[in-house]
């Protein structure tokens, strides 16, 4: 039996309900604000019983997380098509992070609850790389890094997935610094993360002294 057998009718129905609830919740978050939206309002907007809602999503943060992953899955094909355009690896990475910054800035109020949910449920991250729906940009980064390894831009001493995981941690650290340190610009934080990934943190080697020619 294949590892990822097609979901049955019950699983498809459940997945459809989860997506419907998450989209209804996101509309409320946009209209009322995340903090002001209640689970009761989400149940009413999605036209599901409150008990049904809690069976699927124990918290509002879980609803938000599902919507975030749904949005990323929907957008992944467009991102890959955009990154297929000509350009260096660093150019493409800068383009990807710039698009991400634009989206993150538009949804800043939702990010800390989302990250809090993921930290509190870190045990569910085990095996997440093989989930049918992506939870973050790691898969897109691995795909982009694999291209750069094939054309000789990046070394192949580490697998693309390993390098992608390290790069994603830099991306995440830049996001958290922007969210928690006043006065930071996300574009600047992402630029620093890209520079660190591309060139490392080592100081440049001092220039060799010039030797004077004898007169």
């Amino acid at each position: 039996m294949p590892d990822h057998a097609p979901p049955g009718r019950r699983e498809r129905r459940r997945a459809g309900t989860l997506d419907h609830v998450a989209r209804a919740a996101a509309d409320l978050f946009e209209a009322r604000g995340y903090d002001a939206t209640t689970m009761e309002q989400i149940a009413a907007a999605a036209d599901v019983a409150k008990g049904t809602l809690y069976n699927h999503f124990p918290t509002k943060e879980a609803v938000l997380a599902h919507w975030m992953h749904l949005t990323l899955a929907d957008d992944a094909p467009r991102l890959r098509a955009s990154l297929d355009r000509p350009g260096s690896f660093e150019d493409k990475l800068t383009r990807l992070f710039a698009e991400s910054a634009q989206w993150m800035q538009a949804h800043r109020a939702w990010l800390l609850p989302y990250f809090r949910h993921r930290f509190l449920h870190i045990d569910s991250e085990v095996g997440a790389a093989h989930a049918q729906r992506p939870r973050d940009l790691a898969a897109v980064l691995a795909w982009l890094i694999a291209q750069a390894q094939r054309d000789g831009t990046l070394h192949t001493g580490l697998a693309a997935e390993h390098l992608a995981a390290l790069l994603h941690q830099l991306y995440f650290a830049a996001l958290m610094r922007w969210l928690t340190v006043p006065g930071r610009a996300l574009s600047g934080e992402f630029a620093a993360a890209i520079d660190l990934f591309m060139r490392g943190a080592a100081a440049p080697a001092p220039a060799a002294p010039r030797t004077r020619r004898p007169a």
Side-chain angles (χ1 to χ4, degrees):
M1 181 178 291
D3 291 338
H4 300 296
R9 182 179 301 175
R10 179 177 297 179
E11 289 77 12
R12 290 196 303 271
R13 187 183 303 118
R14 179 178 184 275
T17 299
L18 296 178
D19 293 352
H20 168 69
V21 170
R23 288 191 172 103
D27 289 342
L28 288 176
F29 299 157
E30 290 280 7
R32 300 170 180 265
Y34 176 80
D35 290 335
T37 300
T38 66
M39 289 289 274
E40 289 76 11
Q41 291 167 342
I42 293 172
D47 194 23
V48 299
K50 190 165 67 172
T52 301
L53 173 62
Y54 278 101
N55 283 337
H56 290 308
F57 297 109
T59 65
K60 185 170 65 172
E61 288 80 6
V63 184
L64 173 62
H66 188 89
W67 180 81
M68 297 276 275
H69 303 157
L70 175 63
T71 301
L72 179 59
D74 288 345
D75 201 39
R78 184 197 63 80
L79 280 177
R80 292 199 179 196
S82 171
L83 296 174
D84 259 342
R85 299 202 307 266
S88 69
F89 169 77
E90 189 167 356
D91 289 341
K92 293 180 180 185
L93 188 58
T94 300
R95 190 188 314 156
L96 175 62
F97 279 24
E99 289 198 32
S100 177
Q102 186 176 9
W103 192 93
M104 294 294 179
Q105 288 163 344
H107 299 86
R108 180 169 184 158
W110 304 6
L111 297 180
L112 283 178
Y114 167 70
F115 290 133
R116 181 166 57 246
H117 171 81
R118 289 195 66 174
F119 275 126
L120 289 174
H121 298 84
I122 194 68
D123 55 326
S124 68
E125 299 296 305
V126 178
H130 304 292
Q132 290 184 344
R133 177 173 291 164
R135 300 185 179 201
D136 47 46
L137 288 176
V140 175
L141 293 175
W143 173 78
L144 190 58
I145 287 170
Q147 287 185 329
Q149 288 178 321
R150 287 193 294 269
D151 67 23
T153 300
L154 296 179
H155 72 77
T156 58
L158 295 175
E161 290 77 12
H162 190 168
L163 281 174
L166 298 174
L167 176 55
H168 190 257
Q169 291 302 312
L170 289 174
Y171 167 89
F172 178 75
L175 266 177
M176 293 305 296
R177 182 172 158 83
W178 170 65
L179 286 169
T180 57
V181 180
R184 308 306 304 178
L186 185 53
S187 58
E189 298 300 320
F190 278 163
I194 293 171
D195 184 72
L196 182 59
F197 181 79
M198 296 299 302
R199 281 165 279 278
R210 293 185 178 179
T211 56
R212 295 183 60 183
R213 294 181 179 178

